[in-house]
Amino acid sequence: MQRNGGGVGVGGQPWVFRRVRLTWLSFMLFFILVFFPLIAHYYLTTIDEAGGPDNRIFGPRPGGELCEAKHVQDLCRIRESVSEELLQLEAKRQELNGEIARLNLRIEACKRSIDSAKQDLLQLKNVISQTEHSYKELMAQNQPKLSLPVRLLPDKEDPGLPPPKSVRACRLRSCFDYARCPLTSGFPVYVYDAGTYSWGDYLDPLVKQAFAASVKSNIYVTDNPSIACLYLVLVGEVLETLPLPSPLELEKQLKALPYWRSDGHNHVLVHLSRKSMTQNFLYNVSTGRAAVAQSTYLEQQYREGFDLVVSPLVHALSEPNFLEAPPQVPVKRKYLFTFQGERVESLRSSLQEAPPQSFEEELEGDPPADYDDRIIGTLKAVQDSHLDQVLVEFTCKNPKPSLPTEWALCGEREERLEVLKASTFALVIAPGDGQLVASAGCGVRLFEALEVGAIPVVLGDHCKLPYHQLIRWSEAAILVPKPRVTELHFLLRSLSDNDMLAMRRQGRFLWETYFSTSENVLNTILASIRTSIQVPAAPMKDEPANEIPHKAGKLAGTDANLADNGDLDLGPVETEPPYASPRFLRNFTYTAADTYRTWNRAPGPFHLFPHTPLDPVLPSEAKFLGSGTGFRPIGGGSGGSGKEFQGALGGNVPREQFTVVMLTYEREEVLMNSLERLNGLPYLNKVVVVWNSPKPPSEDLLWPDIGLPIVVVRTEKNSLNNRFLPWDVVETEAILSIDDDAHLRHDEIMFGFRVWREARDRIVGFPGRYHAWDINHQSWLYNSNYSCELSMVLTGAAFFHKYYAYLYSYVMPQAIRDMVDEYINCEDIAMNFLVSHITRKPPIKVTSRWTFRCPGCPQALSHDDSHFHERHKCINFFVKVYGYMPLLYTQFRVDSVLFKTRLPHDKTKCFKFI
C-alpha cells in the first residue's frame, strides 16, 4: 500500500503532473509582469511619434500648453511665489550679514571700552582703598582702640595704702583704694552677712530684714569678695533693749572682719535710722579708712567728701502708696508754713562716753550761738499778724525723744502728715548746737515734708542734708541761715507759683527715687559712692527680641497714591546694609556734648537723665537726645537754597536712619499692605513688627520683600505696652511708632523725620489731641476734636527717641502700665505724660496731607464707644500718679511750605515751617 501524497495527489492525480502545472503558471506570470509593460510602452511611444506634435497624447507640448490644466496652474503659481520669497530671503540674508559685520565691529569697540573702563575702575578702587586706609589711620590716631586696663587685686593680707596723717583727715584720694575699682570693673559690691559677725545680734530685726531684701535686688552686689570694689557692713540701727559693747570692743569686731585688711579701706559702715533719736555709737569708734554712711554726725566726726549723710529709713519693709500722696496742685495750700516741735533743753545724749571726749564735754567746751529764742519770737509774730495763715507750735503733748539742742517731733506720724498736707512750706529748724551738723530728727522732718509735697525750708546753713554733695537741694528746698529768720516771711511771699510748683515737683522726684523705700536708700548710697569714684553706671538692658521666622514673598510694589513723588528727591534709598546710630567707643563719658539737660539732679542706680553729675546716660554706649556731633556736611544742614537745600536732610547728625516699630494683632492683610507701602522709603533702617497676638502668623503667609530687614517679634502677652519696649533689634535713636492701619505718604514721613531731627527730645507726630478741664465734674477730659491747640500727639504715627522707651518700660511708675493693660488703651497718653514730665515741653504736630486712618481696614479698638470714656479715666489716674498735670498746651504746628515742591532748583526757597 502507498502513502497519500506520495505517488497520488489530493484528487487522485500523480504528484508529477501537479509539479509541472506549478512551473507553467510561474513562467506565465513572469512573462506577463515583465514583457507586457515593455510592449505597451513601445506601442504607445510609436503612436505618439506617428501622430505628430499636435496629436501627442503623453509627451510635452510646446508653449506651456501643459499649464492650461487647472491643477497644474495652481502648482505654477506656488512655484512663482516661492521663487519670489526665495529672492526676498536672499536679499534679507545679505542685509543681515552686513548688519552682523557692523555689530561685530561695535562689539569689538565695546570690548575695548570695557577694558578701558576696567582699568579706570581698578584705579578708582585703588584710590578708594588708599583713602579708606588713610581714614582709618586718622581715626586710629584720634580715637585709638584702647584695651581694657589690667586689674590688679591686692592679696588678702595686703597692708594697702600708707596710713594718712590723721584718720579724721580721710578723703577718697588718701583712704580709698582705686586699684580695686577700675573704670571697667562694673562696680562690684560685697555685702557682709549680718549673721556672720557678732555685732549683727544687736541690729534691729526690721532694719536687718529690709537691708537683706534690698541687697538681693541690687544689680551691683556680688558673692565674690576677691573681686569686690566696695564692702558694705550694716552696723545699725541697734536695739535699745540690749546693752551696747564698748567702743574698743566694737573696734575689735570691725578689725576681725575677713576682708578688713588692717585698716578697712574700701569699706562702708551703714547705719540706717528709723527713729528721730538714733544712737551715734560710732562717734568714739576708730573706723580707720572705712567710710561711714549714717544720718547723725558731729562736726568733729564728719569727714567731708568721704563720709555720707543718708536719709532715715522711714519705710523699712512697707511700700509707700504713691496714689495716696496729695496732689501738687493747687500750689498754695491752707497754711503758708507750719512748724511743730519742742526744743530739748537737757543735755541728754545717746553718745557713748569714751575718750577722747563725750558729747556733753564737747558742748561744754564750745557753747553754740543760740538763735532759737529769736526764731520763736519771729515766727510767733508772723502768726499773730494774721497777714497769712501759719501754724507754729513750740510745745508738744507727746514729744519724741531727740538729741540735745534739737527740736523734738510732736505727736504721731499720721498727725504730722495731716498738718503737712495743708502746708505750702514746712520749716525744718537745725539743732541749736552748731557742732551737730546732721541729725536723724531733721532727716525725718525733711522726709515727711517731701512725702506730702510741702516745700522744705531749712533754717540753719550749717545743717548737712542727705547726699548734699551730689543733690542740688536748692532746686527742691529753701536754705536760709538762722540770722535771716526775720526776712523769712518776705522771702516765702516773694516766690511765684511756677517756682513753687517746680520745687514741689523736684521734691516729689527726690522722695520717690532716693528716699521712699529701703531699696532706694541702698541704691542711692551705692550710686553716690560710685559717682564719687567716677565709675560709670550699669547700663539698662535692651529687651531681647524673640523673633518669629517668616517667608519673604515677591518684591513689594509701591502704591502710586502714597509714594509717587515724581521727580522729587526725598533722599537715598540705601543700597548698602542698614547702619545703626553712632555709639560711644567706650561706655564712659562725663563730657558728652549737646545732650539734653533735665531738671532731675540726683544719683540713681542707673544713669537715667544725661548731662548731670549723677544722672544717667542710659543704655550701654548710646548717645541720647543730643543734637549730634556739631558737624554740618554739605547738603546736610549747610544752609543755602535751591537744589542743595531740597536734597538736605537737615539737623546736625550727618548720617542717620530711623526704625519703624509697628504693632499689630491678627490683621494679616492690613499688615501686609502697610509693609508694602514702606517699600522705597528713604532713611529707613528696618521694620520691627510687634506681633501682639498669642496666635502665630499663618504658615503660608508671604511677607513682602521691601529690600530691608523685617523683624517679627513675638511678645509674651497681649499688651499695648509692648509698643514701647526697648527692643535690642532697634539700633537707631529715631523710632517711628506707627499703627498697622495708618496711611502716610513717603514725603510726609520724611518731613516728620526732618522735624524730629531738630527737636530730638520731643514727640513729633501727625494726629494731635488735647486735654481739657471739666468744671462741672471737676476732672480732666480727653478731647479729639479739631482745634488750634494741642497737648498730645498720638503715637500711632509719631517719631520719638529710643531713650524714652527705656524710661517708659523701666522707670515710669508700674501703676500706669498696669492701667494700660487693664483697659487695653491709653498707652499713647502715658507716653505723652512721660515726655512732658521729663522735658517740660509739649509735643510737635506735623500736618499731614492725607487721611490718617485706613478707610477700608477692619474696625480698630478706637471705634468702640467705651474708648473715650476709658481715656477720660486714664488722664485723671495719670494725674493722680504724677501728682500734677504734666501736659502742656501749644499752638505751635509744623506745616510744609514749599517742602519737596516741584520748583526750579534756582528758585527753591528755604522756608520749611510755620
Side-chain angles (χ1 to χ4, degrees):
M1 182 181 291
Q2 297 180 351
R3 289 186 243 174
N4 293 338
V8 181
V10 178
Q13 298 176 3
W15 63 276
V16 176
F17 297 101
R18 183 182 177 188
R19 190 169 189 180
V20 171
R21 184 166 43 177
L22 290 175
T23 303
W24 173 251
L25 290 175
S26 299
F27 175 78
M28 292 299 294
L29 288 175
F30 176 79
F31 177 81
I32 293 171
L33 293 175
V34 175
F35 291 99
F36 182 77
L38 295 175
I39 296 172
H41 180 267
Y42 174 78
Y43 174 76
L44 292 176
T45 304
T46 304
I47 293 175
D48 234 3
E49 293 177 354
D54 297 334
N55 296 324
R56 289 181 180 178
I57 299 176
F58 300 99
R61 299 185 181 186
E65 294 178 353
L66 184 61
C67 293
E68 294 178 358
K70 184 178 181 179
H71 63 282
V72 179
Q73 292 178 357
D74 294 338
L75 294 176
C76 291
R77 286 195 299 268
I78 292 173
R79 185 187 66 179
E80 294 174 356
S81 175
V82 171
S83 299
E84 293 178 359
E85 290 181 359
L86 289 175
L87 293 175
Q88 293 176 0
L89 291 175
E90 178 63 22
K92 288 184 179 181
R93 186 184 68 81
Q94 295 178 359
E95 182 181 354
L96 290 176
N97 288 334
E99 184 68 20
I100 290 173
R102 289 191 297 270
L103 291 177
N104 287 332
L105 294 177
R106 294 182 61 183
I107 289 174
E108 294 297 329
C110 290
K111 288 182 178 180
R112 290 191 295 270
S113 299
I114 290 174
D115 294 338
S116 178
K118 287 182 178 180
Q119 295 295 329
D120 296 340
L121 180 60
L122 183 59
Q123 294 178 0
L124 289 176
K125 287 183 178 180
N126 293 333
V127 173
I128 293 174
S129 177
Q130 294 176 1
T131 305
E132 290 179 349
H133 183 70
S134 301
Y135 174 77
K136 291 179 180 179
E137 289 182 349
L138 292 175
M139 293 295 294
Q141 294 175 3
N142 292 279
Q143 295 179 343
K145 295 290 185 179
L146 301 179
S147 60
L148 295 178
V150 179
R151 188 176 184 185
L152 302 177
L153 297 179
D155 296 333
K156 181 179 178 180
E157 303 299 332
D158 186 6
L161 302 173
K165 296 180 180 179
S166 173
V167 177
R168 301 280 184 180
C170 258
R171 297 295 182 268
L172 286 174
R173 62 180 180 273
S174 59
C175 293
F176 192 86
D177 187 5
Y178 282 87
R180 299 194 65 90
C181 303
L183 298 177
T184 57
S185 64
F187 193 62
V189 178
Y190 179 78
V191 181
Y192 286 95
D193 185 2
T196 59
Y197 50 92
S198 57
W199 181 254
D201 299 335
Y202 295 88
L203 299 177
D204 186 339
L206 194 60
V207 174
K208 189 191 307 184
Q209 185 178 357
F211 185 77
S214 302
V215 167
K216 290 182 180 179
S217 61
N218 194 275
I219 61 175
Y220 295 108
V221 174
T222 179
D223 296 331
N224 187 358
S226 61
I227 66 171
C229 164
L230 198 69
Y231 299 85
L232 291 188
V233 184
L234 181 64
V235 297
E237 190 168 34
V238 297
L239 295 172
E240 297 179 352
T241 57
L242 298 178
L244 296 176
S246 63
L248 294 177
E249 180 64 25
L250 183 56
E251 290 180 14
K252 291 181 180 179
Q253 294 185 19
L254 292 177
K255 293 180 179 179
L257 293 174
Y259 308 103
W260 186 260
R261 296 186 179 90
S262 73
D263 57 3
H265 60 272
N266 291 45
H267 278 64
V268 179
L269 307 180
V270 180
H271 184 185
L272 302 178
S273 303
R274 293 185 55 240
K275 301 182 295 294
S276 59
M277 182 178 177
T278 185
Q279 297 173 329
N280 187 12
F281 51 83
L282 293 177
Y283 172 65
N284 291 323
V285 176
S286 176
T287 58
R289 287 193 174 89
V292 178
Q294 62 181 20
S295 302
T296 302
Y297 286 99
L298 285 177
E299 184 177 9
Q300 297 85 348
Q301 177 189 10
Y302 181 68
R303 297 169 289 186
E304 185 73 33
F306 189 70
D307 292 330
L308 197 62
V309 180
V310 302
S311 61
L313 187 62
V314 178
H315 297 289
L317 290 177
S318 61
E319 292 288 338
N321 190 352
F322 298 101
L323 298 178
E324 295 180 357
Q328 300 185 29
V329 290
V331 177
K332 295 180 179 178
R333 298 177 177 176
K334 178 180 179 180
Y335 299 109
L336 177 63
F337 63 84
T338 59
F339 179 80
Q340 292 177 308
E342 182 174 344
R343 183 171 53 178
V344 179
E345 298 289 348
S346 63
L347 295 179
R348 292 180 291 106
S349 175
S350 64
L351 304 179
Q352 298 297 319
E353 298 184 7
Q357 283 183 311
S358 66
F359 178 59
E360 291 83 351
E361 292 172 345
E362 294 284 354
L363 292 180
E364 292 174 359
D366 186 14
D370 192 0
Y371 289 97
D372 291 352
D373 293 337
R374 183 183 300 179
I375 292 174
I376 294 174
T378 302
L379 296 182
K380 284 184 176 180
V382 175
Q383 185 178 23
D384 296 339
S385 67
H386 301 290
L387 296 176
D388 289 293
Q389 192 171 1
V390 299
L391 175 63
V392 290
E393 296 178 357
F394 299 104
T395 57
C396 301
K397 296 181 180 179
N398 185 22
K400 300 298 180 182
S402 300
L403 293 175
T405 72
E406 190 179 20
W407 291 88
L409 296 172
C410 294
E412 299 299 328
R413 167 177 159 82
E414 291 74 15
E415 299 173 353
R416 298 193 300 270
L417 291 180
E418 289 300 322
V419 174
L420 291 174
K421 288 179 181 179
S423 306
T424 305
F425 298 94
L427 299 186
V428 180
I429 304 178
D433 179 24
Q435 300 180 46
L436 190 59
V437 295
S439 66
C442 289
V444 172
R445 289 183 181 274
L446 182 67
F447 181 95
E448 292 177 349
L450 297 176
E451 183 178 4
V452 296
I455 302 174
V457 180
V458 182
L459 282 175
D461 54 355
H462 68 283
C463 186
K464 305 290 185 183
L465 298 182
Y467 319 108
H468 64 93
Q469 297 167 321
L470 302 171
I471 293 181
R472 295 183 178 94
W473 278 106
S474 59
E475 298 181 359
I478 300 175
L479 310 178
V480 182
K482 285 186 176 182
R484 292 194 179 275
V485 65
T486 57
E487 303 173 286
L488 180 63
H489 187 207
F490 167 78
L491 176 62
L492 300 182
R493 287 289 301 272
S494 65
L495 293 176
S496 66
D497 290 353
N498 290 335
D499 292 338
M500 288 188 291
L501 180 59
M503 297 181 71
R504 183 173 295 168
R505 186 169 58 244
Q506 177 67 3
R508 173 72 176 269
F509 166 77
L510 295 178
W511 178 78
E512 288 183 353
T513 310
Y514 308 116
F515 306 146
S516 56
T517 64
S518 59
E519 181 179 356
N520 291 340
V521 171
L522 177 61
N523 289 338
T524 308
I525 291 174
L526 296 181
S528 301
I529 300 173
R530 176 188 52 75
T531 305
S532 299
I533 62 176
Q534 299 180 333
V535 175
M540 283 190 173
K541 302 298 183 182
D542 288 320
E543 190 73 17
N546 184 11
E547 299 185 23
I548 301 177
H550 59 278
K551 296 182 294 184
K554 64 179 181 180
L555 183 64
T558 302
D559 191 337
N561 294 326
L562 297 176
D564 183 14
N565 302 287
D567 58 352
L568 296 183
D569 181 18
L570 293 181
V573 179
E574 302 297 340
T575 57
E576 61 183 69
Y579 53 87
S581 296
R583 295 172 178 265
F584 293 124
L585 295 179
R586 294 169 294 278
N587 186 22
F588 178 77
T589 178
Y590 286 96
T591 58
D594 299 326
T595 50
Y596 177 75
R597 183 178 184 272
T598 64
W599 45 267
N600 298 314
R601 301 279 186 262
F606 300 100
H607 268 222
L608 300 179
F609 302 95
H611 202 336
T612 58
L614 288 174
D615 301 333
V617 184
L618 242 169
S620 63
E621 303 180 349
K623 187 195 311 183
F624 295 96
L625 301 185
S627 58
T629 60
F631 172 67
R632 305 176 70 87
I634 297 177
S638 60
S641 62
K643 181 178 180 180
E644 291 79 8
F645 175 78
Q646 191 182 38
L649 180 60
N652 294 315
V653 179
R655 189 184 188 207
E656 187 171 23
Q657 294 180 337
F658 63 91
T659 302
V660 168
V661 176
M662 185 177 296
L663 188 71
T664 187
Y665 186 89
E666 296 185 0
R667 296 198 294 183
E668 295 180 351
E669 182 179 357
V670 175
L671 175 63
M672 297 302 107
N673 293 334
S674 298
L675 293 176
E676 287 186 1
R677 288 193 294 270
L678 298 177
N679 184 35
L681 180 60
Y683 302 106
L684 179 59
N685 181 273
K686 69 177 64 169
V687 180
V688 178
V689 177
V690 181
W691 191 264
N692 223 23
S693 172
K695 180 181 177 181
S698 303
E699 295 182 358
D700 57 348
L701 181 62
L702 294 179
W703 296 71
D705 183 6
I706 62 175
L708 291 169
I710 297 179
V711 181
V712 185
V713 179
R714 178 186 287 110
T715 58
E716 296 182 357
K717 64 176 182 178
N718 178 19
S719 172
L720 294 180
N721 294 316
N722 296 332
R723 178 196 298 272
F724 301 124
L725 284 173
W727 301 106
D728 56 0
V729 292
V730 177
E731 299 177 316
T732 60
E733 296 180 15
I735 295 178
L736 173 57
S737 174
I738 189 169
D739 291 337
D740 57 1
D741 58 354
H743 275 213
L744 290 174
R745 293 167 55 102
H746 285 190
D747 58 333
E748 293 171 347
I749 296 176
M750 287 309 306
F751 184 64
F753 184 44
R754 293 188 64 172
V755 174
W756 177 86
R757 282 168 54 84
E758 299 184 12
R760 305 173 70 88
D761 59 335
R762 300 162 81 171
I763 300 177
V764 176
F766 297 88
R769 301 291 185 265
Y770 68 97
H771 67 289
W773 179 253
D774 186 355
I775 300 178
N776 297 328
H777 298 87
Q778 294 295 299
S779 62
W780 294 102
L781 296 177
Y782 171 84
N783 202 316
S784 62
N785 296 331
Y786 290 102
S787 172
C788 294
E789 195 170 48
L790 62 99
S791 59
M792 292 175 283
V793 166
L794 301 186
T795 55
F799 285 93
F800 65 90
H801 203 288
K802 189 181 178 182
Y803 175 79
Y804 295 121
Y806 294 93
L807 298 185
Y808 184 98
S809 303
Y810 303 137
V811 179
M812 189 180 69
Q814 180 63 37
I816 296 179
R817 293 190 293 271
D818 292 341
M819 191 169 194
V820 171
D821 288 337
E822 178 182 356
Y823 286 161
I824 317 179
N825 198 345
C826 307
E827 84 286 356
D828 48 358
I829 301 178
M831 176 59 81
N832 279 271
F833 265 70
L834 174 66
V835 177
S836 296
H837 173 67
I838 296 299
T839 64
R840 305 305 304 139
K841 296 179 182 179
I844 297 179
K845 172 178 170 53
V846 179
T847 303
S848 60
R849 305 177 187 174
W850 281 54
T851 302
F852 172 65
R853 289 294 179 187
C854 171
C857 295
Q859 187 175 8
L861 294 174
S862 58
H863 296 161
D864 191 357
D865 294 337
S866 62
H867 176 75
F868 286 95
H869 297 288
E870 293 173 350
R871 294 173 86 81
H872 299 329
K873 295 179 181 179
C874 287
I875 286 186
N876 288 279
F877 180 79
F878 296 166
V879 169
K880 193 171 184 180
V881 173
Y882 282 97
Y884 76 110
M885 169 55 75
L887 298 179
L888 300 174
Y889 293 107
T890 180
Q891 295 183 2
F892 179 80
R893 186 184 67 190
V894 183
D895 290 342
S896 59
V897 179
L898 304 182
F899 179 73
K900 303 303 182 185
T901 304
R902 296 178 178 88
L903 294 178
H905 292 313
D906 58 341
K907 300 297 183 182
T908 304
K909 303 300 181 181
C910 294
F911 304 131
K912 292 168 57 179
F913 312 137
I914 60 170

